[in-house]
């Protein structure tokens, strides 16, 4: 079947929805409204105009406002995403904006808002996570979706992004055709499949959105390769920072960088989950974290503390082949469901944090705290260098984290914790 240029997909979307722009464009985001088969539809168009990402603070604010509107109205939402993710050039300001944005997106999804994502050429990083808030995704010709773009994947693999062999591997791993094989919720657009036909199915209201998210989690487990299904041995966690946080004692175990257990402080005993270690987060650890969170959702504890000391997600093609973005988004969905059932969620950053893993855990959290000396980055220095051609080693202080919205307060261990 022949395909049409991706630019025509956006034009066709505008025409099919009778798109009407509302207000001025906010950076790379245009907000509007339309109609489809007699139903009012809200629309957001995210267009990729710069290489370092399309969504910064101004775009995130506008998109967040739209998510709040559709959650209140229970109105269908169509997202057009042609974006390399967060504006890396904005640094922490963009990351803080993404934390707030992803929270509003999760709230809309949990309300049962029908969200349909139409994808342009690029859908990387946080944008790929936004795409997985949608119940259906339509890939245009040439669309690539991944947590990491080709430049970062090539750098991690020690290859040249322009090498023909590498480009062929990427095409086979993260293209629309590859994604359509991974999930029935993904489709590619062709002339033989009119856009209206896809929208009709994509905008159906699901009366049980939380159950649908849990079903997606179980389906992701079936995608895991055999090696990722192996159960590593548990060991008692030995970390001085965690022990200081729980002066009354804790029972926390670690298995290959995944934490689970309980800890007791002056407020009482709380449930604990976490992700730690120098190895980036891949599909296996993301799924184990989500599975444990879903188990808590069955009998919600009053409080859950999530520990994070892991700088980034994995930039491995093996993880991308089974859609790492969806596994990262699954962690968020599980935490958001748990929060909706009354659990107070606190994310505590022990050491390193950044990128999509940070957003996935911080978005649903009620509070984000940083232990003194923790480092939060949009992306690790090597990834920033691969995108911008340079990186900075300057570490912000706690006040800068709070000002940017990536943290709410700092914990100085060894002193009485601030409550």
């Amino acid at each position: 079947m022949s395909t049409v240029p991706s630019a025509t997909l956006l034009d066709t979307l505008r025409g099919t929805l009778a798109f009407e722009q509302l207000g001025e464009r906010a950076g790379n985001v245009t907000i509007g409204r339309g109609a489809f088969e007699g139903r009012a539809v809200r629309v957001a168009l995210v267009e990729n105009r710069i290489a370092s990402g399309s969504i910064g603070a101004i775009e995130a604010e506008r998109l967040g406002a739209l998510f709040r509107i559709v959650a209140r109205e229970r109105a269908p939402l169509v997202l057009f995403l042609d974006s390399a993710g967060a504006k890396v050039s904005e640094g922490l300001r963009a990351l803080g904006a993404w934390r707030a944005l992803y929270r509003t997106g999760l709230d809309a999804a949990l309300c049962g808002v029908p969200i349909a994502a139409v994808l342009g050429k690029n859908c990387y990083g946080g944008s790929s996570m936004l795409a997985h808030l949608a119940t259906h995704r339509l890939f245009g010709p040439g669309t690539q979706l991944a947590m990491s773009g080709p430049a970062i994947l090539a750098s991690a693999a020690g290859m040249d992004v322009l090498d023909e062999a590498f480009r062929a591997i990427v095409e086979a791993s993260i293209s629309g055709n590859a994604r359509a094989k991974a999930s029935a919720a993904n489709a590619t657009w062709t002339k033989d499949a009119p856009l209206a036909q896809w929208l009709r199915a994509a905008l159906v209201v699901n009366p049980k959105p939380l159950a649908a998210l849990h079903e997606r989690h179980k389906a992701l487990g079936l995608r895991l390769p055999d090696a990722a299904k192996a159960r590593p041995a548990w060991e008692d966690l030995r970390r001085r920072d965690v022990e200081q946080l729980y002066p009354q004692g804790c029972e926390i175990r670690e298995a290959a960088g995944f934490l689970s257990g309980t800890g007791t402080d002056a407020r009482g005993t709380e449930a604990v989950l976490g992700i730690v270690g120098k190895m980036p987060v891949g599909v296996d650890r993301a799924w184990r974290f989500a599975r444990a969170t879903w188990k808590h959702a069955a009998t919600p504890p009053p409080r859950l503390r999530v520990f994070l000391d892991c700088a980034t997600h994995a930039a491995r093609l093996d993880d991308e082949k089974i859609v790492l973005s969806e596994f990262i988004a699954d962690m968020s969905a599980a935490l958001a469901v748990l929060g909706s059932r009354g659990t107070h969620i606190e994310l505590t950053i022990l050491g390193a944090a950044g990128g999509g893993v940070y957003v996935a855990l911080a978005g649903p959290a009620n509070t984000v705290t940083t232990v003194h000396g923790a480092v939060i980055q949009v992306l690790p220095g090597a990834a920033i260098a691969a995108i911008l051609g340079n990186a900075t080693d300057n570490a912000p202080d706690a006040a800068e984290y709070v000002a940017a919205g990536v943290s709410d307060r700092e914990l100085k261990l060894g002193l009485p914790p601030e409550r």
Side-chain angles (χ1 to χ4, degrees):
M1 292 185 288
S2 60
T3 59
V4 297
S6 57
T8 304
L9 175 55
L10 176 55
D11 292 340
T12 304
L13 179 66
R14 289 174 180 269
T16 302
L17 296 176
F19 175 77
E20 178 186 351
Q21 181 172 328
L22 298 175
E24 296 296 320
R25 192 181 73 214
N28 295 308
V29 170
T30 305
I31 300 299
R33 61 189 174 194
F36 181 71
E37 296 187 338
R39 298 168 68 192
V41 178
R42 294 284 182 173
V43 185
L45 309 178
V46 182
E47 298 176 75
N48 199 30
R49 292 185 169 89
I50 57 174
S52 63
S54 295
I55 302 177
I58 186 173
E59 291 88 355
E61 181 181 359
R62 189 65 59 88
L63 287 170
L66 180 61
F67 276 127
R68 287 190 288 272
I69 289 171
V70 297
R72 184 173 64 249
E73 295 178 344
R74 300 296 194 273
L77 172 63
V78 177
L79 289 174
F80 177 81
L81 294 169
D82 186 2
S83 167
K87 280 185 180 177
V88 177
S89 56
E90 288 188 8
L92 287 177
R93 182 166 172 257
L95 192 62
W98 267 94
R99 171 193 173 190
L101 167 60
Y102 209 67
R103 177 57 184 257
T104 61
L106 286 166
D107 289 345
L110 265 60
C111 284
V113 170
I115 303 175
V118 179
L119 309 180
K121 185 178 186 299
N122 303 304
C123 193
Y124 303 133
S127 293
S128 72
M129 293 168 60
L130 282 180
H132 284 95
L133 292 174
T135 54
H136 292 74
R137 287 161 295 281
L138 183 66
F139 291 72
T143 298
Q144 292 183 335
L145 179 147
M147 281 302 299
S148 301
I152 295 175
L153 292 172
S155 177
M159 299 183 70
D160 183 349
V161 70
L162 300 178
D163 181 84
E164 288 296 331
F166 176 77
R167 293 172 67 179
I169 294 171
V170 167
E171 177 65 22
S173 302
I174 68 175
S175 68
N177 288 333
R179 296 321 193 197
K181 295 175 183 177
S183 171
N186 299 332
T188 56
W189 188 50
T190 71
K191 289 181 178 179
D192 298 324
L195 186 56
Q197 178 179 320
W198 178 82
L199 283 168
R200 191 172 299 118
L203 296 178
V204 170
V205 176
N206 187 332
K208 298 180 178 180
L210 275 58
L213 289 170
H214 192 219
E215 288 301 313
R216 181 180 73 173
H217 167 72
K218 292 190 287 185
L220 289 176
L222 300 177
R223 281 192 217 164
L224 289 172
D226 291 340
K229 295 176 183 177
R231 295 185 177 182
W234 287 102
E235 299 179 354
D236 290 338
L237 179 67
R238 292 288 181 263
R239 286 188 62 131
R240 183 170 176 77
D241 47 10
V242 173
E243 292 170 358
Q244 287 179 310
L245 280 165
Y246 294 120
Q248 279 79 28
C250 60
E251 296 181 2
I252 304 173
R253 301 182 301 166
E254 176 184 356
F258 169 67
L259 308 182
S260 180
T262 60
T264 304
D265 60 15
R267 299 173 296 178
T269 299
E270 63 187 7
V272 172
L273 294 175
I275 294 175
V276 299
K278 294 182 179 180
M279 289 296 294
V281 177
V283 294
D284 50 351
R285 217 170 351 156
W287 193 81
R288 293 181 68 205
F289 181 94
R291 178 179 61 177
T293 307
W294 280 112
K295 287 182 178 179
H296 278 306
T299 309
R303 293 186 292 134
L304 170 70
R305 189 190 293 261
V306 177
F307 287 119
L308 178 60
D309 184 5
C310 189
T312 188
H313 59 270
R316 297 188 297 257
L317 280 168
D318 284 346
D319 291 271
E320 292 294 1
K321 286 176 182 176
I322 55 174
V323 200
L324 177 59
S325 304
E326 195 161 11
F327 284 83
I328 299 294
D330 184 38
M331 294 196 298
S332 278
L335 282 173
V337 170
L338 182 61
S340 74
R341 292 176 177 172
T343 297
H344 183 277
I345 300 168
E346 178 172 348
L347 173 64
T348 298
I349 299 171
L350 298 173
V357 175
Y358 163 84
V359 170
L361 302 182
N366 300 96
T367 306
V368 177
T369 58
T370 52
V371 171
H372 180 70
V375 176
I376 307 173
Q377 298 176 295
V378 180
L379 290 173
I384 292 175
I387 297 171
L388 298 180
N390 59 73
T392 177
D393 294 326
N394 296 329
D397 59 24
E400 290 175 278
Y401 290 144
V402 173
V406 298
S407 175
D408 300 309
R409 61 191 178 98
E410 181 186 35
L411 293 175
K412 293 184 178 179
L413 298 183
L415 297 174
E418 301 172 6
R419 296 298 179 192

